Amino acid sequence: MRKLAVYFLDVGQGDCSVIVPPPAPAAPASPEAIPEDAPILVDCADSYVAESFLSTVPALSGVVLSHLDRDHIGGLRTFLKNFLSRGGRVGTVWIVLDRPLPHPRAHGPERTTRVGGERRRQLRRAHRERESLIGG
């Protein structure tokens, strides 16, 4: 019987891991259902590495983003686009929002308050990462 397995993929500077649960005791109720023992992708710094590792996997039970730094999410958009276009399915996506994500059209205090130095750079990076993640 297969046990829980965790794979830490070499993506250079960044993170990309895959958790493979032990086999589920019963088959899914319907062919469209995602199996309970489908792998979980944790962070995705490099889409090519993730796609290569998961090339024969038809479904992911989940995708987890531990935080929004580029070295953890940089390849996710491309990976998901390619994975879904080849018929792959994803159960749930969990995103840890470790910083405020100002909307580009927002007129609230986050956009009108003067923010200086490092905090301004953090907000700009968060905005760029958010835009690259959601494609806007």
Side-chain angles (χ1 to χ4, degrees):
M1 173 186 263
R2 186 180 80 217
K3 296 183 179 186
L4 174 73
V6 180
Y7 298 91
F8 300 96
L9 308 180
D10 184 0
V11 293
Q13 173 59 36
D15 287 306
C16 186
S17 307
V18 177
I19 300 170
V20 182
S30 73
E32 296 85 32
I34 293 175
E36 291 179 24
D37 58 354
I40 301 166
L41 177 65
V42 181
D43 295 332
C44 185
D46 186 311
S47 62
Y48 177 77
V49 172
E51 287 174 44
S52 298
F53 189 81
L54 297 167
S55 64
T56 61
V57 172
L60 294 171
S61 62
V63 173
V64 177
L65 299 177
S66 64
H67 61 282
L68 298 177
D69 288 349
R70 182 157 305 283
D71 65 337
H72 289 256
I73 67 167
L76 182 67
R77 182 175 175 199
T78 302
F79 169 79
L80 286 176
K81 178 181 170 190
N82 295 339
F83 184 75
L84 296 172
S85 69
R86 72 169 170 84
R89 295 170 292 136
V90 176
T92 305
V93 176
W94 293 276
I95 303 172
V96 177
L97 297 176
D98 61 335
R99 63 194 74 158
L101 298 176
H103 190 278
R105 293 173 201 85
H107 299 290
E110 190 78 53
R111 296 286 288 177
T112 58
T113 304
R114 287 185 137 313
V115 180
E118 180 58 27
R119 182 66 179 143
R120 178 181 294 149
R121 286 187 289 278
Q122 287 174 344
L123 289 171
R124 284 182 181 156
R125 276 193 306 268
H127 176 71
R128 283 192 305 270
E129 290 169 0
R130 175 185 174 273
E131 292 301 309
S132 71
L133 180 64
I134 64 172

